[in-house]
Amino acid sequence: MMKSARVTLTVLAGIGSVAHAQLASNPCAPGTFNPAGCQAAVRSHGYCDNGAWVRQKFQKYPYYYDLYQTYAAAGGVVTAAPPASCPAVRGGFGAHGVAMHTRGGS
Amino acid sequence: MKRIACTPRPDWQQRVEESGLAWHSSDVPYWNELAFYRFTAEEVAELERVTNELERMTLRAAGHVIENRLYSRLQIPPRAVPLIEASWHAEPPSLYGRFDLAFDGSRPPKLLEYNADTPTSLLEAAVVQWHWLQDTAPSSDQFNSLHERLIAQWKHLAPCFPDGRIDFCSLDDLEDGITVTYLEDTARQAGLSTSCFPVEEIGWNGGTFVGPDGRPLAGVFKLYPWEWMVREEFGEHLAGASTLWIEPPWKMLLSNKGILPVLWELYPGHPNLLAAHFDGPRAMPSWVRKPLLGREGANITLHTAEGDLETDGAYGEEGSIYQEFAPLASFDGKYPVVGSWLIGHEPGNASAGIGIRESDTPITDNFSQFVPHLFD
Protein backbone atom coordinates (compact mmCIF):
# COMPACT_ATOMS: atom_id res chain seq x y z
CA MET A 1 0.00 0.00 0.00
CA MET A 2 2.70 2.45 0.96
CA LYS A 3 4.58 1.87 -2.25
CA SER A 4 1.44 2.28 -4.32
CA ALA A 5 0.46 5.50 -2.60
CA ARG A 6 3.94 6.95 -3.09
CA VAL A 7 3.89 6.25 -6.81
CA THR A 8 0.49 7.90 -7.17
CA LEU A 9 1.68 10.99 -5.41
CA THR A 10 4.77 11.15 -7.58
CA VAL A 11 2.72 11.02 -10.74
CA LEU A 12 0.29 13.64 -9.52
CA ALA A 13 3.14 15.89 -8.53
CA GLY A 14 4.62 15.49 -11.98
CA ILE A 15 1.35 16.37 -13.64
CA GLY A 16 0.96 19.39 -11.47
CA SER A 17 4.41 20.76 -12.12
CA VAL A 18 4.24 20.33 -15.87
CA ALA A 19 0.57 21.20 -16.40
CA HIS A 20 0.90 24.43 -14.49
CA ALA A 21 4.14 25.54 -16.03
CA GLN A 22 2.15 27.90 -18.22
CA LEU A 23 4.09 26.85 -21.29
CA ALA A 24 1.25 27.01 -23.76
CA SER A 25 3.40 25.73 -26.63
CA ASN A 26 5.24 23.07 -24.71
CA PRO A 27 4.44 19.93 -26.70
CA CYS A 28 5.26 17.75 -23.69
CA ALA A 29 2.92 19.47 -21.23
CA PRO A 30 -0.22 17.38 -20.59
CA GLY A 31 -2.57 20.20 -21.55
CA THR A 32 -0.79 20.86 -24.85
CA PHE A 33 0.59 17.41 -25.50
CA ASN A 34 1.64 16.73 -29.09
CA PRO A 35 3.27 13.31 -29.53
CA ALA A 36 5.50 14.13 -32.50
CA GLY A 37 6.37 17.56 -31.13
CA CYS A 38 7.20 16.13 -27.73
CA GLN A 39 9.49 13.48 -29.19
CA ALA A 40 11.28 16.17 -31.19
CA ALA A 41 11.57 18.37 -28.11
CA VAL A 42 13.07 15.52 -26.08
CA ARG A 43 15.62 14.87 -28.84
CA SER A 44 16.47 18.53 -29.29
CA HIS A 45 16.47 19.52 -25.62
CA GLY A 46 13.98 22.27 -26.32
CA TYR A 47 11.13 23.51 -28.44
CA CYS A 48 10.05 26.59 -30.30
CA ASP A 49 7.59 28.96 -28.65
CA ASN A 50 6.36 31.93 -30.66
CA GLY A 51 9.50 31.99 -32.77
CA ALA A 52 11.93 31.75 -29.85
CA TRP A 53 13.79 28.66 -28.74
CA VAL A 54 13.06 27.42 -25.23
CA ARG A 55 15.94 25.30 -24.02
CA GLN A 56 14.81 22.55 -21.67
CA LYS A 57 16.27 19.25 -20.60
CA PHE A 58 13.42 16.76 -20.74
CA GLN A 59 12.89 13.34 -19.25
CA LYS A 60 12.46 10.49 -21.68
CA TYR A 61 9.38 10.63 -23.88
CA PRO A 62 7.33 7.90 -22.12
CA TYR A 63 7.37 9.97 -18.97
CA TYR A 64 5.41 12.74 -20.69
CA TYR A 65 3.16 10.32 -22.51
CA ASP A 66 2.19 8.72 -19.20
CA LEU A 67 1.53 12.14 -17.68
CA TYR A 68 -0.64 13.07 -20.63
CA GLN A 69 -2.60 9.82 -20.42
CA THR A 70 -3.20 10.25 -16.72
CA TYR A 71 -4.17 13.88 -17.19
CA ALA A 72 -6.60 13.10 -20.01
CA ALA A 73 -8.10 10.15 -18.15
CA ALA A 74 -8.79 12.46 -15.22
CA GLY A 75 -10.80 14.72 -17.52
CA GLY A 76 -8.08 17.24 -18.30
CA VAL A 77 -8.59 19.30 -21.44
CA VAL A 78 -5.91 18.77 -24.09
CA THR A 79 -5.25 21.24 -26.88
CA ALA A 80 -2.27 19.93 -28.81
CA ALA A 81 0.49 22.45 -29.31
CA PRO A 82 0.73 23.22 -33.02
CA PRO A 83 3.99 22.40 -34.83
CA ALA A 84 6.33 25.35 -34.63
CA SER A 85 9.74 26.14 -36.00
CA CYS A 86 12.12 28.91 -35.09
CA PRO A 87 13.84 30.99 -37.74
CA ALA A 88 17.39 29.78 -38.29
CA VAL A 89 20.54 31.62 -39.24
CA ARG A 90 22.82 29.76 -41.63
CA GLY A 91 26.39 29.87 -42.81
CA GLY A 92 28.00 29.49 -39.40
CA PHE A 93 29.99 26.49 -40.59
CA GLY A 94 32.05 26.29 -43.77
CA ALA A 95 33.90 29.58 -43.69
CA HIS A 96 37.38 28.06 -43.38
CA GLY A 97 36.92 25.70 -46.28
CA VAL A 98 35.44 28.35 -48.54
CA ALA A 99 38.09 30.92 -47.65
CA MET A 100 40.96 28.50 -48.19
CA HIS A 101 39.50 27.04 -51.40
CA THR A 102 40.19 23.60 -50.09
CA ARG A 103 38.45 20.39 -49.22
CA GLY A 104 37.36 19.22 -45.80
CA GLY A 105 38.60 15.70 -46.44
CA SER A 106 42.21 14.66 -46.20
CA MET B 1 55.75 -5.85 -51.69
CA LYS B 2 56.32 -5.18 -55.36
CA ARG B 3 55.16 -2.65 -57.87
CA ILE B 4 54.01 -4.39 -61.02
CA ALA B 5 53.51 -2.54 -64.29
CA CYS B 6 50.36 -3.58 -66.13
CA THR B 7 48.03 -2.64 -68.95
CA PRO B 8 45.00 -0.60 -67.95
CA ARG B 9 41.55 -1.88 -68.74
CA PRO B 10 40.58 -0.42 -72.14
CA ASP B 11 37.50 1.20 -70.64
CA TRP B 12 39.02 2.08 -67.28
CA GLN B 13 37.64 5.62 -67.24
CA GLN B 14 34.11 4.33 -67.72
CA ARG B 15 34.61 1.56 -65.17
CA VAL B 16 35.83 3.86 -62.40
CA GLU B 17 33.13 6.42 -63.18
CA GLU B 18 30.53 3.68 -62.83
CA SER B 19 31.84 3.23 -59.31
CA GLY B 20 31.43 6.94 -58.58
CA LEU B 21 35.05 8.05 -59.03
CA ALA B 22 34.31 11.17 -61.04
CA TRP B 23 37.63 12.83 -60.19
CA HIS B 24 39.87 10.13 -61.70
CA SER B 25 41.75 12.55 -63.93
CA SER B 26 42.83 16.17 -63.73
CA ASP B 27 46.19 17.38 -65.07
CA VAL B 28 47.45 13.88 -64.35
CA PRO B 29 45.32 10.82 -63.67
CA TYR B 30 44.48 10.43 -59.98
CA TRP B 31 43.42 6.85 -60.47
CA ASN B 32 46.41 4.99 -61.90
CA GLU B 33 46.11 1.39 -63.06
CA LEU B 34 49.28 1.42 -65.14
CA ALA B 35 50.67 -0.46 -62.16
CA PHE B 36 49.56 -2.22 -59.00
CA TYR B 37 51.18 -3.30 -55.77
CA ARG B 38 51.45 -6.98 -54.97
CA PHE B 39 51.75 -8.01 -51.32
CA THR B 40 52.34 -11.35 -49.69
CA ALA B 41 49.81 -12.69 -47.20
CA GLU B 42 52.44 -12.24 -44.48
CA GLU B 43 52.83 -8.56 -45.34
CA VAL B 44 49.09 -8.05 -45.21
CA ALA B 45 48.93 -9.79 -41.84
CA GLU B 46 51.68 -7.49 -40.60
CA LEU B 47 49.81 -4.38 -41.77
CA GLU B 48 46.65 -5.62 -40.08
CA ARG B 49 48.44 -6.39 -36.82
CA VAL B 50 50.23 -3.03 -36.76
CA THR B 51 47.04 -1.14 -37.55
CA ASN B 52 45.25 -2.73 -34.63
CA GLU B 53 48.24 -2.04 -32.41
CA LEU B 54 48.36 1.61 -33.45
CA GLU B 55 44.63 1.89 -32.82
CA ARG B 56 45.15 0.73 -29.25
CA MET B 57 48.08 3.12 -28.80
CA THR B 58 46.32 6.16 -30.23
CA LEU B 59 43.29 5.63 -28.00
CA ARG B 60 45.62 5.57 -25.02
CA ALA B 61 47.30 8.72 -26.30
CA ALA B 62 43.96 10.52 -26.55
CA GLY B 63 43.16 9.52 -22.98
CA HIS B 64 46.59 10.70 -21.89
CA VAL B 65 46.03 14.15 -23.41
CA ILE B 66 42.66 14.43 -21.68
CA GLU B 67 43.79 13.15 -18.29
CA ASN B 68 46.80 15.45 -18.24
CA ARG B 69 45.08 18.38 -19.95
CA LEU B 70 47.75 18.73 -22.60
CA TYR B 71 45.44 20.76 -24.82
CA SER B 72 47.73 23.75 -25.14
CA ARG B 73 50.48 21.58 -26.60
CA LEU B 74 48.11 20.71 -29.42
CA GLN B 75 46.82 24.29 -29.68
CA ILE B 76 43.32 23.09 -28.87
CA PRO B 77 41.21 26.21 -28.19
CA PRO B 78 39.54 26.40 -24.74
CA ARG B 79 36.13 26.39 -26.41
CA ALA B 80 36.80 22.86 -27.67
CA VAL B 81 37.86 21.32 -24.36
CA PRO B 82 34.38 20.69 -22.89
CA LEU B 83 33.32 19.18 -26.18
CA ILE B 84 36.29 16.86 -26.27
CA GLU B 85 35.96 15.75 -22.69
CA ALA B 86 32.19 15.23 -22.85
CA SER B 87 32.45 13.19 -26.01
CA TRP B 88 35.36 11.13 -24.69
CA HIS B 89 33.50 10.18 -21.54
CA ALA B 90 30.19 9.55 -23.33
CA GLU B 91 31.86 7.28 -25.90
CA PRO B 92 29.66 8.50 -28.75
CA PRO B 93 29.64 6.82 -32.14
CA SER B 94 32.78 6.76 -34.23
CA LEU B 95 32.92 5.41 -37.73
CA TYR B 96 36.35 5.35 -39.26
CA GLY B 97 39.92 6.60 -39.59
CA ARG B 98 43.03 6.09 -41.69
CA PHE B 99 46.63 5.65 -40.64
CA ASP B 100 49.19 6.70 -43.23
CA LEU B 101 52.09 4.29 -43.03
CA ALA B 102 55.55 4.16 -44.55
CA PHE B 103 56.00 0.55 -45.60
CA ASP B 104 58.19 -1.23 -48.12
CA GLY B 105 57.63 -4.87 -47.20
CA SER B 106 61.01 -5.33 -45.58
CA ARG B 107 61.06 -2.90 -42.65
CA PRO B 108 58.34 -2.45 -40.01
CA PRO B 109 55.50 -0.11 -41.00
CA LYS B 110 56.00 3.37 -39.56
CA LEU B 111 53.18 5.73 -38.67
CA LEU B 112 53.47 8.97 -40.63
CA GLU B 113 50.19 10.46 -39.44
CA TYR B 114 46.63 9.62 -38.48
CA ASN B 115 43.69 11.00 -40.46
CA ALA B 116 41.22 10.38 -37.68
CA ASP B 117 38.60 13.01 -38.37
CA THR B 118 37.95 13.54 -42.08
CA PRO B 119 39.76 10.84 -44.05
CA THR B 120 39.03 10.52 -47.75
CA SER B 121 40.25 8.28 -50.60
CA LEU B 122 37.64 5.92 -49.19
CA LEU B 123 35.57 5.24 -52.28
CA GLU B 124 38.64 4.28 -54.30
CA ALA B 125 39.91 2.04 -51.50
CA ALA B 126 36.58 0.39 -50.73
CA VAL B 127 34.95 0.07 -54.12
CA VAL B 128 36.99 1.15 -57.15
CA GLN B 129 40.04 -0.99 -56.47
CA TRP B 130 37.79 -3.93 -55.62
CA HIS B 131 36.13 -3.68 -59.05
CA TRP B 132 39.59 -3.41 -60.61
CA LEU B 133 40.53 -6.68 -58.88
CA GLN B 134 37.38 -8.42 -60.11
CA ASP B 135 38.05 -7.24 -63.67
CA THR B 136 41.75 -8.02 -63.80
CA ALA B 137 42.75 -10.67 -61.25
CA PRO B 138 39.64 -12.26 -59.76
CA SER B 139 41.56 -15.24 -58.43
CA SER B 140 43.73 -12.97 -56.28
CA ASP B 141 42.71 -11.37 -53.02
CA GLN B 142 42.74 -7.82 -51.73
CA PHE B 143 43.11 -6.47 -48.20
CA ASN B 144 39.76 -4.76 -48.31
CA SER B 145 36.64 -5.44 -46.28
CA LEU B 146 35.81 -1.75 -46.09
CA HIS B 147 32.41 -1.75 -47.73
CA GLU B 148 30.87 -4.54 -45.67
CA ARG B 149 32.55 -3.27 -42.51
CA LEU B 150 31.09 0.21 -43.03
CA ILE B 151 27.60 -1.21 -43.37
CA ALA B 152 28.11 -3.37 -40.30
CA GLN B 153 29.37 -0.40 -38.31
CA TRP B 154 26.36 1.72 -39.27
CA LYS B 155 24.11 -1.10 -38.09
CA HIS B 156 26.05 -1.18 -34.85
CA LEU B 157 25.66 2.59 -34.44
CA ALA B 158 22.00 2.77 -35.51
CA PRO B 159 20.55 2.70 -31.96
CA CYS B 160 22.43 5.95 -31.26
CA PHE B 161 20.38 7.86 -33.81
CA PRO B 162 16.81 8.88 -32.92
CA ASP B 163 14.30 7.61 -35.47
CA GLY B 164 17.13 5.75 -37.22
CA ARG B 165 18.17 8.88 -39.05
CA ILE B 166 21.52 10.50 -39.78
CA ASP B 167 22.28 13.46 -42.05
CA PHE B 168 25.46 13.97 -44.05
CA CYS B 169 27.25 17.18 -44.92
CA SER B 170 30.46 18.43 -46.48
CA LEU B 171 31.80 21.36 -48.40
CA ASP B 172 30.35 21.82 -51.86
CA ASP B 173 33.29 19.97 -53.44
CA LEU B 174 33.22 17.10 -55.91
CA GLU B 175 35.52 14.71 -54.06
CA ASP B 176 34.13 15.48 -50.60
CA GLY B 177 30.59 15.33 -51.91
CA ILE B 178 31.02 11.94 -53.51
CA THR B 179 32.79 10.62 -50.42
CA VAL B 180 29.85 11.54 -48.18
CA THR B 181 27.43 10.27 -50.81
CA TYR B 182 29.22 6.93 -50.68
CA LEU B 183 29.07 6.89 -46.90
CA GLU B 184 25.41 7.86 -47.07
CA ASP B 185 24.84 4.88 -49.36
CA THR B 186 26.44 2.52 -46.84
CA ALA B 187 24.29 4.00 -44.06
CA ARG B 188 21.15 3.44 -46.12
CA GLN B 189 22.18 -0.14 -46.77
CA ALA B 190 22.36 -0.46 -42.99
CA GLY B 191 18.73 0.63 -42.75
CA LEU B 192 19.21 4.27 -41.70
CA SER B 193 17.28 7.20 -43.15
CA THR B 194 19.56 9.89 -44.54
CA SER B 195 19.88 13.18 -46.35
CA CYS B 196 22.91 15.09 -47.60
CA PHE B 197 23.57 18.83 -47.89
CA PRO B 198 26.43 21.36 -47.90
CA VAL B 199 27.83 22.16 -44.47
CA GLU B 200 27.10 25.85 -45.06
CA GLU B 201 23.37 25.01 -45.00
CA ILE B 202 23.41 23.89 -41.39
CA GLY B 203 21.32 26.38 -39.43
CA TRP B 204 21.10 27.47 -35.81
CA ASN B 205 17.65 28.37 -34.53
CA GLY B 206 18.68 29.63 -31.15
CA GLY B 207 18.64 26.28 -29.44
CA THR B 208 19.51 23.53 -31.85
CA PHE B 209 21.22 22.90 -35.15
CA VAL B 210 18.78 22.40 -38.01
CA GLY B 211 18.97 21.13 -41.54
CA PRO B 212 17.99 23.00 -44.71
CA ASP B 213 14.34 22.13 -44.05
CA GLY B 214 14.40 23.49 -40.49
CA ARG B 215 14.30 20.05 -38.92
CA PRO B 216 16.47 19.67 -35.80
CA LEU B 217 19.61 17.66 -36.53
CA ALA B 218 19.93 14.76 -34.13
CA GLY B 219 22.84 12.96 -35.79
CA VAL B 220 25.22 14.34 -38.41
CA PHE B 221 28.16 12.87 -40.26
CA LYS B 222 30.31 15.85 -41.22
CA LEU B 223 33.27 15.67 -43.59
CA TYR B 224 34.51 18.93 -42.20
CA PRO B 225 37.38 19.21 -39.73
CA TRP B 226 36.73 19.80 -36.07
CA GLU B 227 39.57 22.28 -35.86
CA TRP B 228 37.63 24.48 -38.29
CA MET B 229 34.21 23.90 -36.72
CA VAL B 230 35.24 24.98 -33.25
CA ARG B 231 36.79 28.20 -34.60
CA GLU B 232 33.85 29.22 -36.77
CA GLU B 233 30.78 31.26 -35.91
CA PHE B 234 28.65 28.30 -34.85
CA GLY B 235 31.47 26.87 -32.78
CA GLU B 236 30.13 28.63 -29.71
CA HIS B 237 26.90 26.62 -29.93
CA LEU B 238 28.49 23.18 -30.17
CA ALA B 239 28.78 22.51 -26.44
CA GLY B 240 25.15 23.35 -25.73
CA ALA B 241 23.55 21.58 -28.66
CA SER B 242 22.27 18.03 -28.56
CA THR B 243 23.45 17.04 -32.05
CA LEU B 244 25.50 13.85 -32.19
CA TRP B 245 28.41 14.39 -34.56
CA ILE B 246 30.40 11.78 -36.43
CA GLU B 247 33.32 11.77 -36.12
CA PRO B 248 33.03 12.79 -32.44
CA PRO B 249 34.88 15.84 -31.08
CA TRP B 250 37.59 13.83 -29.30
CA LYS B 251 38.85 12.75 -32.71
CA MET B 252 40.33 16.24 -33.09
CA LEU B 253 43.04 15.13 -30.70
CA LEU B 254 44.09 12.32 -32.98
CA SER B 255 43.90 14.21 -36.27
CA ASN B 256 46.22 16.82 -34.76
CA LYS B 257 49.89 16.21 -35.62
CA GLY B 258 50.65 16.89 -31.97
CA ILE B 259 49.50 13.35 -31.23
CA LEU B 260 52.73 12.11 -32.85
CA PRO B 261 55.10 13.44 -30.16
CA VAL B 262 52.58 12.38 -27.51
CA LEU B 263 52.73 8.85 -28.89
CA TRP B 264 56.53 8.96 -28.90
CA GLU B 265 56.56 10.07 -25.27
CA LEU B 266 54.25 7.22 -24.33
CA TYR B 267 55.95 4.60 -26.49
CA PRO B 268 59.59 5.67 -26.98
CA GLY B 269 61.41 3.48 -29.46
CA HIS B 270 58.27 1.65 -30.59
CA PRO B 271 59.07 -0.08 -33.89
CA ASN B 272 56.00 1.35 -35.65
CA LEU B 273 56.55 4.95 -34.58
CA LEU B 274 58.95 7.63 -35.71
CA ALA B 275 60.64 9.85 -33.17
CA ALA B 276 58.68 13.09 -32.83
CA HIS B 277 59.05 16.21 -30.70
CA PHE B 278 57.23 19.46 -30.08
CA ASP B 279 60.24 21.62 -29.35
CA GLY B 280 62.51 21.06 -32.33
CA PRO B 281 64.41 18.37 -34.20
CA ARG B 282 66.78 17.76 -31.27
CA ALA B 283 69.45 15.32 -32.47
CA MET B 284 67.59 13.98 -35.48
CA PRO B 285 69.84 14.35 -38.54
CA SER B 286 66.93 14.20 -40.96
CA TRP B 287 63.47 15.35 -40.03
CA VAL B 288 60.12 16.54 -41.26
CA ARG B 289 58.38 19.60 -39.84
CA LYS B 290 54.61 19.31 -39.99
CA PRO B 291 52.06 21.97 -38.97
CA LEU B 292 49.83 20.79 -36.14
CA LEU B 293 46.75 21.30 -38.27
CA GLY B 294 48.27 20.90 -41.74
CA ARG B 295 46.41 19.07 -44.47
CA GLU B 296 47.26 17.30 -47.71
CA GLY B 297 51.02 17.76 -47.48
CA ALA B 298 50.86 21.55 -47.20
CA ASN B 299 53.60 23.54 -45.43
CA ILE B 300 55.82 20.51 -44.92
CA THR B 301 59.57 20.99 -44.56
CA LEU B 302 61.75 17.97 -45.24
CA HIS B 303 65.27 18.43 -43.93
CA THR B 304 68.06 16.07 -44.93
CA ALA B 305 71.83 16.32 -45.42
CA GLU B 306 71.13 17.12 -49.07
CA GLY B 307 69.11 20.21 -48.17
CA ASP B 308 65.55 21.26 -47.49
CA LEU B 309 62.42 20.50 -49.47
CA GLU B 310 59.38 22.62 -48.68
CA THR B 311 55.77 22.67 -49.80
CA ASP B 312 53.49 25.69 -49.98
CA GLY B 313 50.29 26.21 -48.09
CA ALA B 314 48.38 28.27 -45.60
CA TYR B 315 49.14 26.33 -42.41
CA GLY B 316 51.77 26.55 -39.72
CA GLU B 317 50.86 29.61 -37.68
CA GLU B 318 49.41 27.28 -35.08
CA GLY B 319 52.79 25.64 -34.51
CA SER B 320 54.50 22.52 -35.78
CA ILE B 321 55.99 19.25 -34.71
CA TYR B 322 59.24 17.63 -35.79
CA GLN B 323 59.19 14.04 -36.88
CA GLU B 324 62.07 11.77 -37.76
CA PHE B 325 62.35 11.43 -41.52
CA ALA B 326 61.38 7.96 -42.68
CA PRO B 327 62.81 7.61 -46.15
CA LEU B 328 60.00 6.14 -48.21
CA ALA B 329 61.13 3.29 -50.41
CA SER B 330 61.15 4.12 -54.09
CA PHE B 331 59.36 1.72 -56.41
CA ASP B 332 60.08 2.58 -60.05
CA GLY B 333 60.72 6.16 -58.95
CA LYS B 334 57.43 6.37 -57.06
CA TYR B 335 57.01 6.83 -53.33
CA PRO B 336 54.02 4.89 -51.97
CA VAL B 337 52.22 5.54 -48.71
CA VAL B 338 49.91 2.86 -47.36
CA GLY B 339 46.61 4.23 -46.09
CA SER B 340 45.46 1.66 -43.54
CA TRP B 341 41.79 1.94 -42.65
CA LEU B 342 40.04 1.45 -39.33
CA ILE B 343 36.33 0.86 -39.02
CA GLY B 344 35.00 1.19 -35.47
CA HIS B 345 37.13 0.60 -32.42
CA GLU B 346 36.70 -3.06 -31.58
CA PRO B 347 39.96 -3.99 -29.87
CA GLY B 348 42.15 -6.07 -32.14
CA ASN B 349 39.62 -5.97 -34.95
CA ALA B 350 39.46 -2.41 -36.26
CA SER B 351 41.78 -2.89 -39.24
CA ALA B 352 39.67 -3.11 -42.40
CA GLY B 353 41.85 -2.70 -45.47
CA ILE B 354 44.34 -0.52 -47.29
CA GLY B 355 44.64 1.93 -50.15
CA ILE B 356 47.91 3.10 -51.67
CA ARG B 357 48.76 6.55 -52.92
CA GLU B 358 52.09 7.17 -54.57
CA SER B 359 53.93 10.39 -55.37
CA ASP B 360 56.88 11.54 -57.41
CA THR B 361 58.51 13.00 -54.30
CA PRO B 362 58.88 11.76 -50.72
CA ILE B 363 56.10 14.15 -49.65
CA THR B 364 52.63 12.81 -50.35
CA ASP B 365 50.49 15.73 -51.42
CA ASN B 366 47.24 16.28 -53.27
CA PHE B 367 48.94 15.40 -56.56
CA SER B 368 49.48 11.81 -55.46
CA GLN B 369 47.94 8.96 -57.44
CA PHE B 370 45.86 6.09 -56.14
CA VAL B 371 47.22 2.70 -57.25
CA PRO B 372 45.32 -0.56 -56.64
CA HIS B 373 46.77 -3.58 -54.87
CA LEU B 374 46.31 -7.30 -54.45
CA PHE B 375 47.89 -10.08 -52.45
CA ASP B 376 48.50 -13.75 -53.01
Side-chain angles (χ1 to χ4, degrees), chain A residues 39-40 42-45 48 51-53 55 85-98 100 102-106, chain B residues 98 115 118-120 162-163 171 173 175-176 200-201 203-205 207-208 211-212 216 224 228 232-234 240 242 295-296:
Chain A
Q39 291 176 55
V42 169
R43 281 198 302 271
S44 306
H45 300 173
C48 195
W53 187 261
R55 188 187 300 271
S85 61
C86 289
V89 292
R90 301 187 187 277
F93 287 136
H96 273 78
V98 172
M100 298 174 80
T102 188
R103 301 189 302 116
S106 59
Chain B
R98 192 193 75 230
N115 294 283
T118 60
T120 53
D163 299 335
L171 285 168
D173 167 88
E175 183 174 349
D176 284 2
E200 300 98 311
E201 292 187 14
W204 174 254
N205 72 2
T208 190
Y224 194 72
W228 294 354
E232 294 185 352
E233 182 184 343
F234 282 176
S242 59
R295 308 175 67 79
E296 298 200 304

Side-chain angles (χ1 to χ4, degrees), chain B residues 10 13 45 99 245 322:
Chain B
Q13 291 99 332
F99 291 124
W245 300 94
Y322 296 80

Side-chain angles (χ1 to χ4, degrees), chain A residues 22-34:
Chain A
Q22 297 189 359
L23 297 173
S25 297
N26 182 347
C28 294
T32 51
F33 188 76
N34 177 323

Side-chain angles (χ1 to χ4, degrees), chain B residues 19-324:
Chain B
S19 303
L21 191 68
W23 64 95
H24 57 73
S25 302
S26 54
D27 294 338
V28 294
Y30 167 63
W31 171 264
N32 178 11
E33 58 179 68
L34 285 164
F36 64 90
Y37 284 86
R38 181 190 296 276
F39 293 86
T40 65
E42 291 74 20
E43 289 166 342
V44 166
E46 173 71 351
L47 286 167
E48 182 179 33
R49 184 194 66 76
V50 168
T51 298
N52 287 324
E53 169 80 351
L54 289 171
E55 153 75 350
R56 183 186 65 79
M57 293 160 59
T58 51
L59 286 178
R60 184 185 165 206
H64 178 77
V65 171
I66 292 168
E67 289 160 18
N68 295 281
R69 303 189 65 79
L70 304 178
Y71 303 113
S72 63
R73 299 178 78 181
L74 278 62
Q75 296 296 313
I76 300 287
R79 168 190 285 183
V81 173
L83 274 175
I84 291 170
E85 294 184 346
S87 69
W88 178 256
H89 295 302
E91 298 187 17
S94 173
L95 182 69
Y96 74 152
R98 192 193 75 230
F99 291 124
D100 283 347
L101 306 173
F103 184 58
D104 61 10
S106 59
R107 291 171 291 185
K110 298 281 191 182
L111 176 63
L112 299 171
E113 61 186 55
Y114 184 11
N115 294 283
D117 184 19
T118 60
T120 53
S121 78
L122 179 63
L123 176 70
E124 43 274 50
V127 178
V128 183
Q129 70 169 345
W130 179 254
H131 288 167
W132 168 86
L133 183 76
Q134 301 310 305
D135 287 349
T136 62
S139 61
S140 294
D141 208 344
Q142 192 173 78
F143 183 21
N144 178 12
S145 59
L146 284 161
H147 186 76
E148 53 268 43
R149 292 284 295 272
L150 283 167
I151 295 170
Q153 183 65 4
W154 283 123
K155 288 180 179 175
H156 175 66
L157 300 181
C160 301
F161 305 120
D163 299 335
R165 179 181 186 87
I166 182 165
D167 297 288
F168 290 76
C169 66
S170 71
L171 285 168
D172 189 10
D173 167 88
L174 177 64
E175 183 174 349
D176 284 2
I178 289 182
T179 299
V180 294
T181 300
Y182 170 60
L183 283 168
E184 181 186 12
D185 184 80
T186 60
R188 285 188 180 186
Q189 291 191 53
L192 291 163
S193 300
T194 66
S195 74
C196 191
F197 44 80
V199 69
E200 300 98 311
E201 292 187 14
I202 290 178
W204 174 254
N205 72 2
T208 190
F209 291 111
V210 296
D213 56 0
R215 179 178 42 79
L217 296 173
V220 177
F221 175 93
K222 48 89 203 164
L223 191 66
Y224 194 72
W226 272 113
E227 65 262 23
W228 294 354
M229 289 178 70
V230 297
R231 290 172 171 84
E232 294 185 352
E233 182 184 343
F234 282 176
E236 65 179 312
H237 305 313
L238 285 162
S242 59
T243 303
L244 198 59
W245 300 94
I246 292 182
E247 294 297 309
W250 63 264
K251 279 291 196 82
M252 80 176 88
L253 301 177
L254 298 183
S255 61
N256 186 304
K257 302 299 187 297
I259 205 65
L260 299 170
V262 171
L263 279 166
W264 188 249
E265 289 169 7
L266 290 173
Y267 301 95
H270 190 283
N272 302 119
L273 297 178
L274 296 161
H277 308 291
F278 283 105
D279 56 0
R282 300 191 187 178
M284 296 186 290
S286 300
W287 45 264
V288 182
R289 184 171 60 211
K290 298 179 174 180
L292 289 172
L293 304 177
R295 308 175 67 79
E296 298 200 304
N299 300 102
I300 300 285
T301 299
L302 168 57
H303 173 84
T304 65
E306 286 75 43
D308 287 359
L309 179 62
E310 298 183 7
T311 60
D312 295 331
Y315 302 96
E317 286 186 3
E318 72 279 12
S320 302
I321 62 101
Y322 296 80
Q323 185 184 44
E324 174 188 1

